[in-house]
Amino acid sequence: MLANYFKIALRNFRKQPVYAGINVVGLAVGLAFCVLIFLFVRDEWTYDRHHENADRLYRAHRVSFTPEGAVRATDNWLPMPMGPALQRDLPEVEAFVRLTYRNHFVQSAATTFEERVIYADANVFEVFTFPLRRGNPATALTDLNTVVLSQEAARKYFGEDDPLGKTLAIRLGTDFQDFIVTGVAEAIPHNSSVRFDILLPFAKLVDAFERVRQRAENWNASAYLTYVLLAENASPAGTDEKLLQFRQRYYPDELDFLRERGYWTGDGIPTSYRLQPITDIHLNPDVNGGLAMPSNPLYSYLLAAIALAVLGIACINFMTLAIGRSASRAREIGVRKVVGAHRRQLMAQFWAEALLMSGVALALGLVLAYLFLPTFNALTGKSLHFDLAANLATTAMPAAATLLAGLIAGSYPALVLSGFRPVDALKNKLRLSGSNALTQSLVVVQFALSVFLIIGTLVMLDQLDYIRTTNLGFDREHLVVVSTNGVEGETALARVRAELGARADVVGITGSSTSFARGGARVGFDYKGEIRQVNEFRVTHNYVDVMGMELVAGRVFDPNLSTDSTSAVLVNEALVREFGWTDPLGEPLTGLTESPETDPVVVGVLKDYNFQSLENAVDPLMLTLNPNDRINYLLARIAPTDIPATLDALRAAWTRIAPAVPFEYSFLDDDLNALYEDDARWSRILGYASLFAILIACLGLFGLVALAVAARTKEIGIRKVMGATAPGLAVLLSKDFARLVAVALVLAAPVAYFVMERWLDTFAFRIEISWGIFLVAGSLALAIALMTVSAQTIRAALGDPVKALRYE
């Protein structure tokens, strides 16, 4: 009997291939999109869960409070002695690992690259789960001149040779030092917030750099991440009070000092520490800083909702067509009943047909998901893998939804139509159509979801355009950024100026310790009893002029004043506000150095400029000429007349200066655009989601209109005989569907406005959503719907009325 049901179902599909194709393809595309998005969201939500001790691993961070007790700021970069002190003072802390990074020049044979090198304590492989393919994890970093590589780095520097025991030269300061490769790590999961290609002992950082050695016991210099492993039965909830006492132990005079001078008026405490679970790091942007930027969890929730929305549209489309088509099967049901079919058998027949179609769609959807995964990975920047067995939980929900859609789609004809009396069905007294209240509601929901996605895409595109075109407070056009790649920056800068200074196409050349979108350096110091975090750029004298920045008070650095290199700083307006100065010129940055006599003073104030992403407010910043910091980037402003020739001249000059070091450059505006690549990626994903949603909705609308037109064939013939024109008939058949799209817009607009306002609130600098976006989205959805409807209505309106009157 079951085989007979499926045989009849296949026969019906062959008789109506368009209907079957629309249903299967629409549901399959929705399922494939949903599976891919769920793979992405699952990857986001499982960050750092590969560590065996993930439930006991925490990252320490500092929390600053307002006098009212609210969190004012957080910071992950902590003093160097923090880790040992936590293990010594808190019985809950079983072990600690400190991490930090620096860019170094790395060389093996003839291969030389600038790399981000991570420094870690020797027990890093005991605390974190980073299995070694080669080497002993217990001893890999115990000696100062040892290095552990990732598989990619090992292949990059040694090819297919076994790197264990071989030498890698790394430039620390001004000299190359040899490091013995003692380990090669297994591939690190891409959803790990701690990643490395080159890992050096933390003790080597202290040994190699004098300035770091000076900070070994300094509680006012913060530049290190501190992870702790809690004991088996330790509760992190009980550590908050102990961390407060810990803070007071190492900053005993902080509270009294602040209160005596009126800097703190609250009853609580100004600063303490907290422990953040490692599994919370990736999706918690409220705790700033780290080896990788956290992701906004709103994106994951939004994507999950979009995936469900697209799948919902596909399922609604499937059900709408099934219900609409059921009207044409009333006479078939009557005949079956007359020849002896029971209602139970009819119900089984309809459910078998719906489940067969949804099963085919399920299989096709999974195949599409597998085929399009590489494209999806390129779009999202992920390295996701699709294994049906491994990703069973990911595919279970959309698969269940697909089969449920089949059950629901088959329920209407199974439960409703099978209950009609045969005489009514045979006399064609049943007046069901594809435009009843249920199908109308489903069409409204479909297009409401589609309009929501269109509005979201347009808002994202507007925000990204604003980001790319807004004035950042400096001139970012035609600026070439050249990495010194370990070459002594001052020397390189002087020689490049000497070689190219006379060229008219080189407008100006300056240098900096960091460039925009290339990270930065934050310095923490005790300013009048309170720890302040300030961004510090080491620059050269002409930096402000070459960058086109605006000075609002004081002066710029004077190359004729030798004291400027040690005793003068330029600050931005944000720092002035942060420090509460009314007259900043001449103010000393107390606590920045070991002695008050050497604390630099403010000689100039710059108008705020965006040296970070526009997602962030402008942070306090100071520019210095500090000779102890290196110039890592040369910035050359060039004329736009002949850019290739100017770049060739820069390359030639660099080759003469450092022939063994590759010439690496980028344009500053490209670097700045890279800051928003994640947002651009999200907008592309949302755009594709909108496209799929509209496509699936239109497939359903196309099929539904075909059914509606078929149900009104005789009516159309009569109207044409009575003188109705083709345009008039087209309008008559289209207006009901246009009305449904208009209702969908009214329902979707406020929801889309609310959600996109929340997204825009993540940017410190943002657009305001204009009414024009809703008008464009509504017009676009309406135009697409009408074009879809018109394909059927115009054909019906132009048809031969005689054939229409003979219909049935």
Side-chain angles (χ1 to χ4, degrees):
M1 182 64 72
L2 187 62
N4 183 60
Y5 291 152
F6 284 109
K7 186 183 298 183
I8 295 172
L10 289 172
R11 187 181 303 154
N12 284 327
F13 297 161
R14 285 197 299 269
K15 287 171 61 178
Q16 293 182 309
V18 174
Y19 158 78
I22 288 175
N23 250 3
V24 169
V25 171
L27 191 54
V29 170
L31 175 70
F33 182 83
C34 189
V35 168
L36 291 175
I37 293 297
F38 274 27
L39 285 173
F40 180 94
V41 172
R42 181 179 178 274
D43 183 79
E44 288 284 289
W45 289 354
T46 56
Y47 252 76
D48 294 311
R49 298 187 188 276
H50 62 279
H51 297 293
E52 293 178 5
N53 298 317
D55 59 331
R56 298 193 288 136
L57 261 174
Y58 293 80
R59 185 176 66 179
H61 64 278
R62 181 170 38 238
V63 184
S64 300
F65 300 96
T66 65
E68 294 75 27
V71 174
R72 182 174 66 86
T74 61
D75 183 35
N76 287 311
W77 299 101
L78 302 175
M80 189 184 298
M82 180 85 178
L86 283 172
Q87 185 177 25
R88 184 174 59 247
D89 297 354
L90 271 67
E92 292 88 348
V93 176
E94 181 178 304
F96 70 89
V97 171
R98 293 165 296 184
L99 300 174
T100 192
Y101 68 90
R102 291 195 173 193
N103 285 353
H104 291 312
F105 209 49
V106 181
Q107 188 176 73
S108 176
T111 306
T112 305
F113 296 98
E114 184 184 26
E115 303 275 14
R116 186 172 87 155
V117 175
I118 305 294
Y119 290 88
D121 284 301
N123 63 337
V124 62
F125 298 111
E126 299 172 16
V127 174
F128 296 96
T129 302
F130 294 125
L132 295 187
R133 177 180 289 267
R134 301 296 308 276
N136 184 347
T139 60
L141 291 178
T142 52
D143 293 334
L144 288 182
N145 283 69
T146 55
V147 60
V148 173
L149 304 178
S150 68
Q151 288 186 58
E152 293 81 2
R155 193 174 298 111
K156 179 178 180 178
Y157 287 99
F158 299 101
E160 298 304 320
D161 295 341
D162 181 4
L164 213 64
K166 293 188 176 179
T167 300
L168 195 67
I170 303 177
R171 185 170 182 168
L172 305 183
T174 58
D175 300 317
F176 277 97
Q177 298 186 32
D178 288 337
F179 290 83
I180 304 299
V181 178
T182 53
V184 178
E186 297 277 4
I188 299 172
H190 58 268
N191 57 350
S192 174
S193 62
V194 177
R195 302 182 61 81
F196 64 86
D197 282 316
I198 298 176
L199 195 64
L200 292 183
F202 192 88
K204 183 63 180 180
L205 180 71
V206 180
D207 176 75
F209 297 97
E210 174 64 28
R211 192 176 181 187
V212 176
R213 277 199 300 277
Q214 294 173 355
R215 294 179 172 180
E217 297 300 325
N218 187 345
W219 284 86
N220 294 327
S222 299
Y224 311 95
L225 298 171
T226 302
Y227 291 81
V228 296
L229 178 67
L230 298 189
E232 287 283 355
N233 299 319
S235 170
T239 60
D240 285 358
E241 183 62 30
K242 292 182 179 181
L243 287 170
L244 172 60
Q245 297 170 4
F246 178 89
R247 173 75 185 187
Q248 294 170 336
R249 183 179 303 122
Y250 290 97
Y251 298 88
D253 302 324
E254 179 181 36
L255 194 56
D256 291 339
F257 182 91
L258 295 176
R259 284 177 174 166
E260 287 174 6
R261 288 157 179 78
Y263 299 131
W264 182 257
T265 57
D267 294 329
I269 47 100
T271 308
S272 187
Y273 299 108
R274 293 285 185 271
L275 297 182
Q276 180 186 20
I278 192 171
T279 53
D280 178 64
I281 290 175
H282 180 66
L283 290 178
N284 188 354
D286 294 334
V287 183
N288 298 317
L291 294 178
M293 291 298 294
S295 178
N296 190 335
L298 177 63
Y299 286 136
S300 294
Y301 296 130
L302 185 59
L303 266 187
I306 289 171
L308 291 175
V310 172
L311 182 62
I313 290 172
C315 292
I316 289 170
N317 176 53
F318 187 89
M319 292 183 288
T320 302
L321 285 177
I323 293 169
R325 181 174 173 269
S326 64
S328 66
R329 303 186 67 178
R331 187 168 291 174
E332 173 194 343
I333 293 169
V335 172
R336 287 179 179 276
K337 280 200 165 188
V338 167
V339 297
H342 296 290
R343 186 180 184 188
R344 184 175 61 255
Q345 292 172 318
L346 292 172
M347 292 168 62
Q349 175 64 50
F350 285 119
W351 267 321
E353 290 184 15
L355 286 174
L356 177 61
M357 193 173 294
S358 62
V360 173
L362 174 59
L364 179 59
L366 293 177
V367 171
L368 289 175
Y370 179 80
L371 293 177
F372 283 98
L373 184 59
T375 303
F376 185 73
N377 279 334
L379 176 67
T380 59
K382 295 274 189 181
S383 299
L384 305 174
H385 300 282
F386 182 62
D387 183 327
L388 197 56
N391 300 113
L392 187 60
T394 303
T395 57
M397 198 285 295
T402 302
L403 296 176
L404 180 62
L407 282 174
I408 296 173
S411 295
Y412 182 80
L415 298 176
V416 179
L417 295 182
S418 64
F420 290 135
R421 294 188 305 164
V423 65
D424 291 333
L426 291 172
K427 289 181 177 180
N428 204 24
K429 289 184 177 181
L430 307 179
R431 289 304 174 202
L432 303 169
S433 73
S435 58
N436 57 48
L438 178 58
T439 53
Q440 286 180 351
S441 300
L442 294 177
V443 170
V444 168
V445 173
Q446 276 186 310
F447 274 90
L449 293 172
S450 301
V451 169
F452 169 85
L453 295 175
I454 293 173
I455 292 173
T457 303
L458 294 176
V459 171
M460 280 190 167
L461 291 175
D462 262 15
Q463 175 65 14
L464 290 173
D465 182 65
Y466 169 79
I467 286 171
R468 293 190 183 100
T469 58
T470 193
N471 183 3
L472 300 179
F474 59 92
D475 185 1
R476 63 182 181 181
E477 299 296 326
H478 307 116
L479 262 172
V480 181
V481 182
V482 180
S483 172
T484 61
N485 275 337
V487 176
E488 207 289 312
E490 289 279 13
T491 302
L493 180 61
R495 292 189 60 182
V496 169
R497 279 177 178 162
E499 292 208 23
L500 303 178
R503 292 181 64 101
D505 54 354
V506 180
V507 179
I509 303 175
T510 187
S512 175
S513 58
T514 187
S515 180
F516 302 82
R518 301 290 186 95
R522 288 170 64 88
V523 57
F525 58 97
D526 189 344
Y527 178 78
K528 298 182 178 179
E530 184 175 358
I531 297 297
R532 301 282 189 175
Q533 293 289 325
V534 176
N535 293 277
E536 180 182 14
F537 284 14
R538 193 277 206 226
V539 299
T540 55
H541 292 89
N542 62 339
Y543 185 79
V544 173
D545 293 333
V546 172
M547 297 301 296
M549 296 170 180
E550 182 179 343
L551 190 71
V552 296
R555 63 175 178 85
V556 296
F557 294 121
D558 189 342
N560 298 315
L561 293 177
S562 60
T563 54
D564 272 8
S565 63
T566 56
S567 61
V569 294
L570 299 177
V571 300
N572 66 351
E573 294 172 307
L575 187 144
V576 174
R577 291 191 298 271
E578 173 77 11
F579 282 62
W581 294 333
T582 54
D583 184 13
L585 297 181
E587 284 280 359
L589 289 174
T590 306
L592 187 61
T593 62
E594 298 293 334
S595 171
E597 289 76 21
T598 58
D599 286 332
V601 299
V602 176
V603 299
V605 179
L606 295 170
K607 185 177 180 61
D608 280 341
Y609 65 93
N610 296 96
F611 59 93
Q612 298 169 315
S613 164
L614 289 177
E615 293 178 357
N616 306 313
V618 179
D619 282 342
L621 169 73
M622 63 179 180
L623 305 183
T624 76
L625 300 177
N626 187 351
N628 293 323
D629 287 338
R630 297 177 57 225
I631 295 296
N632 296 313
Y633 296 94
L634 308 186
L635 297 100
R637 184 172 298 283
I638 64 176
T641 49
D642 191 352
I643 293 177
T646 309
L647 290 176
D648 288 341
L650 280 170
R651 183 180 290 104
W654 182 263
T655 302
R656 288 190 291 272
I657 294 166
V661 179
F663 176 72
E664 295 181 357
Y665 77 94
S666 63
F667 284 94
L668 183 59
D669 50 357
D670 291 335
D671 291 347
L672 293 171
N673 289 337
L675 287 173
Y676 312 105
E677 183 54 38
D678 281 346
D679 296 298
R681 186 178 294 120
W682 287 110
S683 70
R684 290 195 295 270
I685 293 173
L686 192 59
Y688 282 116
S690 303
L691 178 64
F692 286 130
I694 286 288
L695 173 65
I696 295 168
C698 287
L699 280 174
L701 192 59
F702 181 86
L704 196 61
V705 172
L707 294 172
V709 168
R712 301 176 70 177
T713 300
K714 191 168 289 185
E715 175 194 344
I716 294 169
I718 294 172
R719 288 182 180 275
K720 290 197 73 174
V721 169
M722 298 299 292
T725 63
L729 286 172
V731 171
L732 175 69
L733 295 171
S734 302
K735 66 180 182 181
D736 289 340
F737 295 101
R739 189 181 300 116
L740 296 180
V741 176
V743 172
L745 174 62
V746 172
L747 294 176
V751 178
Y753 178 83
F754 175 80
V755 173
M756 297 316 297
E757 276 288 315
R758 301 290 78 76
W759 177 72
L760 288 171
D761 285 343
T762 63
F763 290 85
F765 301 87
R766 46 158 289 183
I767 62 168
E768 295 299 327
I769 301 177
S770 70
W771 62 268
I773 286 177
F774 299 97
L775 182 62
V776 170
S779 301
L780 184 61
L782 183 60
I784 293 173
L786 288 178
M787 284 190 292
T788 304
V789 171
S790 298
Q792 293 282 357
T793 57
I794 292 175
R795 190 179 71 170
L798 294 175
D800 186 350
V802 175
K803 292 182 179 179
L805 291 173
R806 288 176 178 172
Y807 185 71
E808 296 181 344

